[in-house]
């Protein structure tokens, strides 16, 4: 891990995901930040470690019928159904703007088959501005989508290898929490060649309306996100940190720098801010500011000292 | 289009009926650039529950930097909002969405049902301002289930200077019946621009009427929303052919004939 001393002011927040250098560990989670432009007047996009855009498929997808979202206790369920413009229009219409940002852009991809994942990756290879690929093998909302890959270690490894073979940028595999042994899944994609794993995607859930005696979502089930899932996400990051050597990106209910730093203690090298963007469009920037303050106040040489620094011995004298 | 996440201060709380509340907020940034038909997302709690902001139409905005929202208590978020006090701080995000299109050369008919009345006061005032108060041919029809939903707002509309009629389903105020009954009974010029906001069946009926009469009609519709600004894609509404529009970005105001109504 070679972090050349730079004479820039402010605390050292740099982290590395594979060969990707980030100015700080804070990214925006796929599907919660549009294509970044939506936020340009609301925050300073250049303060982010990286931007991860809405999941892209080979062909455009209209998504699910409404209602697609419902609020639940300290969180929300969504069944957007991976609505997106498809990889061609994404490259033509969205990438030029993203390429103009002074921030690494990671493209989140999803497919119905290994071949589809390979095709999308090939289309993105060499496109100016694409700094990394995050492979969604875990979306619970579409039948042909992630589930088969997200729950099966061999399939997950095969998708990872196919994507890895088709591009030169770092490959992050996004893991589903809807599995029995997340450590096993993480090891499988590490063996498959992943440069990093990100977790967690949403937890499959359901909400029922007693008055109408019907599900709240047209899709019946959806993915739970927000503060409600943070304890599950922390536990999974902690488990995965003991299972793999590649860097981990923690996701799940992060709203503040404190939340993010807890994920780093559990073993995450970086984090993603998701649902919090909806509540506070400046949330991700505020997480960066908060981490920066913490590193200064705690007089750390770098934020990297926090990674996996969880203490497991009992706290004495308290 | 400027958008602000503004720390606003409550300057007035009016309990207009047992369930309907109007709140005035000092929000100079939003007030300076909002247009009729646009909405704001309001954080009802500083904690994690209720988590998401709630959407509300901008009921009024003025040059002194104030905006108003007018709402009904239907759940936890609105219950919390109904109990805010003067001088409390509230986080308001906006202005959001596409508002009404105004052509000051056309006669207008504004129709509101229940809480759908909320965005129409701002619209009526703006139309009147653009027409330099020459609102002779214009008409406002306000309807609701009972007196509570209509009466407290009628004077504000009359003061704008546009002829205002009222209806209630139970006849407790104004004409007994639906706004569509009044609409069918009045003479409208063939180039009238109709604006409507209210329950879906009301807007659907008005759309049918306008299609039959060849009148232009703009409606303001609702949907569930998480972000209000195009990031979550949660606010879709079918337009046929398996296609969707997104209420927060493409709306909330639409040409009525572009939407699918038999939902
Ligand atoms: C663009 C837009 C503008 C709006 N403008 C206004 C306005 O000016 N005044 C106003 O009173 N409301 C308005 N609404 C509706 C308002 O957002 C909801 O009433 C509010 O979000 C309810 O929050 P809650 O926490 O009190 O209810 P929740 O606890 O979320 O829900 C409680 C109950 O109310 C029902 N409910 C939730 N949302 C709605 C809704 N939109 N319509 C009817 N029932 C609902 C739920 O199904 C549930 O049964 C608008 C909505 C949109 C999308
Ligand atoms: C509305 C919505 C849409 C999402 N879309 C995607 C997506 O397209 N691809 C993906 O990998 N994850 C998607 N996610 C999952 C988030 O990226 C993130 O993993 C999850 O929400 C947990 O983080 P949070 O609790 O901070 O929101 C979506 C989440 C939400 C709420
Ligand atoms: S409410 Fe999020 S996209 Fe419309």
């Amino acid at each position: 891990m070679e972090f050349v001393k730079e004479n820039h002011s402010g605390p050292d927040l740099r982290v590395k995901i594979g060969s990707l250098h980030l100015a700080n560990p804070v990214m925006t989670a796929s599907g919660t930040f549009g294509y970044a432009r939506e936020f340009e007047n609301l925050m300073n996009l250049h303060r982010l470690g990286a931007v991860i855009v809405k999941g892209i498929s080979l062909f455009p997808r209209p998504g699910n019928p409404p209602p697609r979202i419902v609020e639940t206790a300290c969180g929300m369920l969504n069944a957007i159904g991976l609505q997106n413009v498809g990889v061609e229009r994404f490259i033509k219409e969205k990438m030029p703007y993203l390429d103009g940002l002074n921030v690494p852009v990671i493209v989140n991809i999803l497919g119905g088959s290994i071949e589809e994942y390979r095709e999308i990756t090939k289309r993105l290879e060499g496109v100016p501005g694409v700094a990394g690929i995050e492979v969604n093998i875990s979306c619970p909302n579409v039948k042909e989508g992630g589930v088969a890959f997200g729950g099966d270690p061999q399939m997950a490894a095969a998708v990872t290898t196919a994507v890895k073979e088709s591009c030169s940028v770092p490959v992050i595999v996004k893991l589903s929490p809807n599995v029995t042994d997340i450590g096993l899944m993480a090891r499988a994609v590490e063996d498959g060649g992943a440069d990093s794993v990100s977790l967690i995607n949403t937890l499959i859930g359901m909400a029922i309306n007693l008055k109408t005696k019907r599900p709240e979502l047209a899709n019946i089930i959806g993915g739970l996100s927000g503060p409600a899932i943070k304890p599950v996400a922390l536990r999974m990051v902690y488990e995965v940190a003991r299972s793999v050597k590649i860097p981990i990106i923690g996701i799940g209910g992060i709203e503040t720098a404190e939340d993010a730093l807890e994920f780093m203690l559990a073993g995450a090298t970086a984090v993603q801010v998701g649902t919090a963007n909806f509540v506070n469009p400046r949330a991700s920037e505020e997480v960066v500011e908060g981490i920066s303050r913490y590193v200064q106040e705690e007089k750390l040489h770098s934020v990297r000292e926090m990674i996996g620094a969880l203490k497991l011995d009992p706290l004495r004298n308290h | 289009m400027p958008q602000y996440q503004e720390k606003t201060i409550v300057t007035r709380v009016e309990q207009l009926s047992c369930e309907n509340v109007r709140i005035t907020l000092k929000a100079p940034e939003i007030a300076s650039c909002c247009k009729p038909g646009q909405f704001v997302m309001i954080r009802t709690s500083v904690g994690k529950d209720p988590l998401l902001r709630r959407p509300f139409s901008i009921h009024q905005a003025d040059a002194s930097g104030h905006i108003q929202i007018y709402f009904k208590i239907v759940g936890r978020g609105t219950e919390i909002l109904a109990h805010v006090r003067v001088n409390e701080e509230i986080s308001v995000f906006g202005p959001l969405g596409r508002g009404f299109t105004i052509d000051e050369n056309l006669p207008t008919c504004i129709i509101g049902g229940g809480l759908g009345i909320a965005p129409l006061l701002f619209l009526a005032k703006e139309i009147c301002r653009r027409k330099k108060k020459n609102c002779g041919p214009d008409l406002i029809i306000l309807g609701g289930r009972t007196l509570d939903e209509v009466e407290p707002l009628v004077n504000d509309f009359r003061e704008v200077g546009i002829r205002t009629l009222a209806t209630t389903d139970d006849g407790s105020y104004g004409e007994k019946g639906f706004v569509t009954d009044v609409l069918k009974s009045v003479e409208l010029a063939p180039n009238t621009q109709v604006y409507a906001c209210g329950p879906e069946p009301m807007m659907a009926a008005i759309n049918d009427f306008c299609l039959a009469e060849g009148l232009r009609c703009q409606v303001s519709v609702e949907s569930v929303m998480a972000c209000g600004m195009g990031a979550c894609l949660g606010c879709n509404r079918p337009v046929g052919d398996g296609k969707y529009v997104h209420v927060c970005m493409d709306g909330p105001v639409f040409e009525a004939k572009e939407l699918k109504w038999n939902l």
Side-chain angles (χ1 to χ4, degrees), chain A residues 209 211 216, chain B residues 39 50 54-58 70-79 115 118-119 220-225 247 252:
Chain A
N209 187 316
K211 244 192 264 164
E216 293 277 12
Chain B
F39 67 100
R54 299 293 192 259
F56 297 96
S57 305
I58 299 170
Y70 166 65
F71 64 93
K72 180 176 172 174
I73 303 170
V74 296
R76 277 186 319 138
T78 44
E79 176 75 39
L115 263 296
S220 175
V221 301
E222 289 185 3
S223 73
V224 292
M225 288 187 180
V247 174

Side-chain angles (χ1 to χ4, degrees), chain B residues 22-236:
Chain B
R22 181 155 71 179
I23 294 178
T24 309
L25 299 158
K26 179 95 187 159
E29 290 177 319
I30 295 171
S32 72
C33 62
C34 63
K35 299 195 172 62
Q38 288 190 299
F39 67 100
V40 291
M41 295 288 283
I42 297 189
R43 213 168 163 179
T44 61
S45 140
V46 287
K48 298 179 199 300
D49 203 25
L51 181 69
L52 301 172
R53 290 171 180 268
R54 299 293 192 259
F56 297 96
S57 305
I58 299 170
H59 177 59
Q60 285 199 82
D62 68 17
S64 71
H66 291 85
I67 62 168
Q68 278 187 338
I69 57 162
Y70 166 65
F71 64 93
K72 180 176 172 174
I73 303 170
V74 296
R76 277 186 319 138
T78 44
E79 176 75 39
I80 295 170
L81 263 191
H83 290 98
V84 296
R85 286 162 200 244
V86 170
N87 287 329
E88 248 180 77
E89 187 181 292
I90 298 185
S91 171
V92 182
F93 175 35
L96 301 165
R98 299 212 316 216
F100 295 105
T101 308
I102 298 173
D103 182 341
E104 54 264 40
N105 299 313
L106 299 178
T108 54
C109 177
I110 299 174
I111 310 165
L115 263 296
I117 295 173
L120 302 178
L121 186 57
F122 191 11
L123 173 69
K125 285 192 170 174
E126 181 63 17
I127 288 174
C128 214
R129 191 185 66 81
R130 297 243 203 127
K131 291 189 174 184
K132 305 199 170 59
K133 304 216 165 141
N134 296 319
C135 298
D138 299 335
L139 177 66
I140 296 170
I141 308 170
L142 305 179
R145 271 170 306 175
T146 61
L147 171 142
D148 276 3
E149 290 189 355
V150 186
E151 188 268 340
L153 291 173
V154 165
N155 268 343
D156 289 340
F157 278 88
R158 295 220 161 106
E159 276 170 17
V160 174
I162 300 179
R163 184 160 73 105
T164 303
L165 303 175
T167 71
T168 49
D169 298 0
D170 65 356
S172 55
Y173 184 75
E175 291 277 319
K176 181 173 160 63
F178 296 138
V179 288
T180 41
D181 299 332
V182 177
L183 180 63
K184 284 168 190 163
S185 71
V186 292
E187 284 283 325
L188 293 178
N191 60 342
T192 299
Q193 169 71 61
V194 174
Y195 298 98
C197 185
E200 287 276 326
M202 177 198 110
M203 290 191 286
I206 292 172
N207 175 53
D208 286 345
F209 175 82
C210 290
L211 283 180
E213 301 289 315
L215 303 176
R216 290 164 250 248
C217 180
Q218 294 175 32
V219 289
S220 175
V221 301
E222 289 185 3
S223 73
V224 292
M225 288 187 180
C227 70
M229 43 96 69
C232 75
L233 305 181
C235 62
N236 63 323

Side-chain angles (χ1 to χ4, degrees), chain A residues 272-303:
Chain A
Q272 296 178 15
V273 177
T275 301
N277 295 313
F278 302 154
V279 183
N280 170 11
R282 279 197 80 246
S284 50
E285 190 182 353
E286 286 174 12
V287 172
V288 178
E289 290 164 356
I291 292 177
S292 176
R293 261 196 314 275
Y294 181 88
V295 169
Q296 267 172 323
E297 281 165 15
E298 297 292 312
K299 301 195 169 55
L300 305 182
H301 296 295
S302 117
V303 73

Side-chain angles (χ1 to χ4, degrees), chain A residues 3 37 67 74 97 107 119 133 160 191-192 226 269 302 306 315:
Chain A
F3 284 93
R37 193 168 202 163
C74 300
Y97 173 80
V107 181
E119 266 319 296
I133 288 183
T160 306
D191 292 345
T269 296
S302 117
M306 294 297 289
L315 184 61

Side-chain angles (χ1 to χ4, degrees), chain A residues 28-33 52-56 68-69 74-84 108-110 134-141 174-175 177 198-203 223-230 233 250-255 272-278, chain B residues 226 231-234:
Chain A
T28 54
S30 177
T32 65
F33 206 64
I52 305 185
V53 290
K54 176 77 191 159
I56 302 295
R68 291 176 170 183
I69 50 175
C74 300
M76 63 180 279
L77 286 167
N78 88 80
I80 305 300
L82 301 168
Q83 176 189 338
N84 77 93
N108 180 287
I109 63 168
L110 65 120
E134 182 179 55
V135 189
N136 179 5
I137 55 165
S138 51
C139 186
N141 297 331
K174 185 163 178 179
L175 300 178
S198 57
L199 62 145
I200 57 177
N201 208 319
T202 53
L203 283 154
L224 182 63
S225 67
I229 71 169
K230 189 183 133 194
I251 323 167
I254 297 175
E255 295 181 307
Q272 296 178 15
V273 177
T275 301
N277 295 313
F278 302 154
Chain B
C232 75
L233 305 181

Side-chain angles (χ1 to χ4, degrees), chain A residues 56-118:
Chain A
I56 302 295
S57 51
L58 195 51
F59 301 108
R61 299 178 55 104
N64 288 330
R68 291 176 170 183
I69 50 175
V70 61
E71 183 169 314
T72 54
C74 300
M76 63 180 279
L77 286 167
N78 88 80
I80 305 300
L82 301 168
Q83 176 189 338
N84 77 93
V85 296
V87 71
E88 292 306 330
R89 275 183 62 196
F90 170 74
I91 292 170
K92 228 174 46 219
E93 295 169 19
K94 310 290 180 186
M95 254 340 274
Y97 173 80
L98 291 163
D99 185 30
L101 293 177
N102 199 9
V103 169
V105 174
I106 297 170
V107 181
N108 180 287
I109 63 168
L110 65 120
S113 64
I114 293 178
E115 269 327 296
E116 231 175 282
Y117 278 105
R118 196 194 302 275

